[in-house]
Amino acid sequence: MADTTHGALAPTYHPLPVTIARAHGTHVWDTDGNEFLDFLSGYSALNFGHLHQGLVAAAMTQLRQVTLTSRAFDHDRLEEFAQRLVEVVGPLTTGGEDSLVVPMNTGAEAVETAIKAVRKWGYDVRGVPEDQATIVIAGGNFHGRTTTLVGLSDDPVARDGFGPFAPGFVRVPFGDLQAVADAVDDTTVAVLMEPVQGEAGVVVPPDDFWPGLRALTTEKNIALVADEIQSGLGRTGTTLACELWDVQPDLVCLGKALGGGIVPVSAVVGKPEILGVLTPGTHGSTFGGNPLACAVGVAALDLLSTGQYQARAAASGKVLEERLGALVDQGLLTGARCVGLWAGVDVDPKLGTGRDLCEALLERGVLAKDTHASTIRLSPPLSIVQPELEMALDILEESLVALRDGGPGGGAGEDPDDDGSDGAGVAEEAVTEEAVTEDPVAEEAVAEEGAAEAAPGDEAPASEKPADEAPTEKHADEADSTTPSSADTSDIPDAEVTPPRKRRRSRLSPAAG
């Protein structure tokens, strides 16, 4: 696999030694043609899978119209996007059908927007003395990388060396309702927390925590703000994770999956009494709510509006939870937390670190990410089908056994009778130059046809072509217009699919085509 060290990049990341060149559905291919199952999904930005046809069609159509106006002028997709968010997410907040939307770009911007809104609401509406507003937050949080938001963190790697930090935040233990109650006073304008803490290792609070927060904040006239950047939009088996406890926050911060893995899109949605304090000149963003972002966001919300992806995450999550529980029972894991299609997996330090396990998974064809030394997160695209999920969990078990028996190269993953030629490959689907035209009417027809082809159950199934068949030689121009196709990205959870072949430790399957 290719070296991922590049001299011109500041060393802000320590990636696994793989360089991804192509992707589709649940699968990615590196620059050497090796195939992997993606079990990170861009930290939930790719809930719908890589290159979902409907999302790509929406982006392609908008790219031919207008991509940016700035908020100095309205555009024809902005109100459509806001209204769609209100329809899908508004009823899940206390704003209901009267909810307002502030469009932004990144998750961090959405959280910063919520902080500004609740502070101004506290001063203008609640009457909190100027510059005295406080917000209760949780230990173990991850809200973003701005200087304000890393100041909220108690992770020394994220925090140390970046102070001084903004005042006005009170940190309490996550899941401790009494600690929140004790922290609240007359200056408290909001409680801001993740419903489930993703970066901390998919930490799920006690069942009474979020209902208790809702009751407390209602009683004290405090805004309840849910950071659902990672947990929202289907990941937990519900549209919002707060639904797991039948709780409506006043504001919800959304991002990642809202852009479908194509463009950065974020937003704050909720109570008009709070967001309405952001008047002209008090907040804004040049790119926030741009036409391209709105087009993709509407398409992503349309996918969620059917409830299909949420149902898929709930059904697949049961398989994930059962299999991880069995690994804990076997002593291969010290713990596992699962909510929907999202899990935090604790590695026994005697076997290795989370990084060690991720490298063992990488050798066997599964991409995952470690966090906090001994924990890895599993969050495949919600489009994953059960054979792929089962295969990845088999590989997880195999990797843990290999670590137990002598490290990543312990030999558990290699069958001496396997010549690397068995199993099914993955089909390719061409996106040709013929789809591009200068006729606006024809362009719209092509885009509508592409969106229709992306409807549930209509994508091409995996092919029967052997994985070790020599790749077909292509013209260089043709190669750039081709993307590999995998299992259906939008069908129901029990859809049948021929999974990619099980990989040997020493050699991954070649890229299709």
Side-chain angles (χ1 to χ4, degrees):
M1 283 169 280
D3 184 4
T4 57
T5 301
H6 303 286
L9 288 174
T12 55
Y13 281 86
H14 181 208
L16 290 170
V18 59
T19 301
I20 296 169
R22 297 187 297 166
H24 195 16
T26 56
H27 299 250
V28 300
W29 285 260
D30 71 7
T31 50
D32 296 324
N34 298 311
E35 177 186 359
F36 303 86
L37 282 170
D38 182 357
F39 261 59
L40 182 62
S41 301
Y43 303 99
S44 290
L46 290 155
N47 280 2
F48 308 110
H50 293 271
L51 298 182
H52 185 286
Q53 292 181 22
L55 300 179
V56 170
M60 292 290 288
T61 300
Q62 192 60 45
L63 278 167
R64 300 186 185 102
Q65 305 298 325
V66 59
T67 59
L68 180 66
T69 62
S70 87
R71 290 297 302 279
F73 318 104
D74 279 340
H75 61 80
D76 62 348
R77 304 306 302 268
L78 184 59
E79 184 58 35
E80 177 190 8
F81 172 61
Q83 188 57 45
R84 201 74 181 100
L85 264 173
V86 169
E87 291 169 359
V88 175
V89 178
L92 307 179
T93 75
T94 57
E97 62 183 15
D98 296 321
S99 291
L100 293 180
V101 172
V102 181
M104 299 298 289
N105 306 287
T106 67
E109 289 178 275
V111 177
E112 290 270 13
T113 298
I115 289 171
K116 289 178 69 174
V118 296
R119 281 177 170 171
K120 190 161 178 33
W121 170 76
Y123 299 134
D124 293 356
V125 178
R126 283 269 313 280
V128 174
E130 185 177 356
D131 293 338
Q132 293 185 30
T134 59
I135 297 173
V136 179
I137 58 167
N141 73 72
F142 181 82
H143 296 296
R145 298 284 188 180
T146 66
T147 51
T148 293
L149 299 183
V150 297
L152 275 56
S153 174
D154 53 8
D155 179 0
V157 176
R159 178 185 173 95
D160 289 357
F162 300 113
F165 300 113
F169 299 96
V170 181
R171 189 187 303 118
V172 300
F174 183 60
D176 188 337
L177 185 59
Q178 187 58 54
V180 178
D182 292 343
V184 166
D185 60 25
D186 290 342
T187 68
T188 307
V189 296
V191 173
L192 163 64
M193 295 188 184
E194 302 161 88
V196 177
Q197 292 189 324
E199 184 72 16
V202 191
V203 178
V204 184
D207 284 342
D208 63 350
F209 183 62
W210 273 89
L213 287 182
R214 180 67 281 177
L216 174 66
T217 53
T218 299
E219 177 189 353
K220 301 292 187 180
N221 193 23
I222 295 168
L224 180 59
V225 183
D227 177 352
E228 297 241 19
I229 307 298
Q230 286 196 47
S231 63
L233 305 181
R235 175 56 59 186
T236 61
T238 49
T239 302
L240 297 183
C242 285
E243 292 179 79
L244 297 170
W245 301 284
D246 196 25
V247 166
Q248 292 177 310
D250 297 309
L251 300 181
V252 60
C253 301
L254 300 171
K256 294 196 185 295
L258 193 57
I262 297 176
V263 287
V265 185
S266 69
V268 183
V269 184
K271 205 167 186 176
E273 291 87 345
I274 300 175
L275 292 181
V277 303
L278 298 177
T279 53
T282 59
H283 192 57
S285 167
T286 298
F287 281 87
N290 68 76
L292 181 59
C294 288
V296 174
V298 167
L301 291 165
D302 285 347
L303 293 175
L304 284 169
S305 67
T306 68
Q308 189 171 2
Y309 281 91
Q310 297 90 319
R312 174 189 287 282
S316 297
K318 292 177 181 177
V319 176
L320 180 63
E321 184 172 25
E322 180 180 345
R323 290 290 304 273
L324 293 177
L327 294 179
V328 173
D329 292 342
Q330 294 174 47
L332 292 172
L333 295 172
T334 59
R337 296 160 301 283
C338 192
V339 54
L341 196 52
W342 197 20
V345 175
D346 298 328
V347 184
D348 188 337
K350 291 183 292 186
L351 301 184
T353 65
R355 174 81 180 196
D356 291 334
L357 178 55
C358 287
E359 290 178 352
L361 289 168
L362 173 68
E363 289 187 25
R364 293 160 174 82
V366 174
L367 300 182
K369 182 66 173 69
D370 58 300
T371 183
H372 298 290
S374 297
T375 300
I376 72 169
R377 288 161 291 179
L378 301 176
S379 54
L382 307 186
S383 55
I384 195 168
V385 290
Q386 187 163 333
E388 293 174 327
L389 179 60
E390 294 277 11
M391 182 182 67
L393 293 170
D394 288 344
I395 291 172
L396 174 62
E397 180 175 1
E398 177 182 303
S399 300
L400 288 164
V401 169
L403 289 175
R404 183 194 65 190
D405 294 345
E414 186 162 355
D415 179 353
D417 296 325
D418 179 9
D419 65 359
S421 62
D422 59 334
V426 180
E428 283 195 333
E429 177 190 10
V431 180
T432 67
E433 295 289 336
E434 294 173 5
V436 181
T437 172
E438 295 181 1
D439 182 350
V441 176
E443 288 174 359
E444 184 174 354
V446 168
E448 290 175 354
E449 181 181 355
E453 289 175 358
D458 284 344
E459 289 188 18
S463 118
E464 297 293 328
K465 178 181 176 182
D468 63 341
E469 182 175 323
T472 303
E473 193 172 8
K474 294 180 183 290
H475 190 275
D477 293 338
E478 211 175 24
D480 288 340
S481 64
T482 306
T483 54
S485 173
S486 75
D488 194 338
T489 62
S490 56
D491 58 352
I492 58 176
D494 60 353
E496 294 183 2
V497 63
T498 303
R501 73 177 193 83
K502 189 171 181 180
R503 304 163 181 83
R504 297 175 63 190
R505 177 179 59 80
S506 58
R507 180 161 63 88
L508 301 180
S509 63

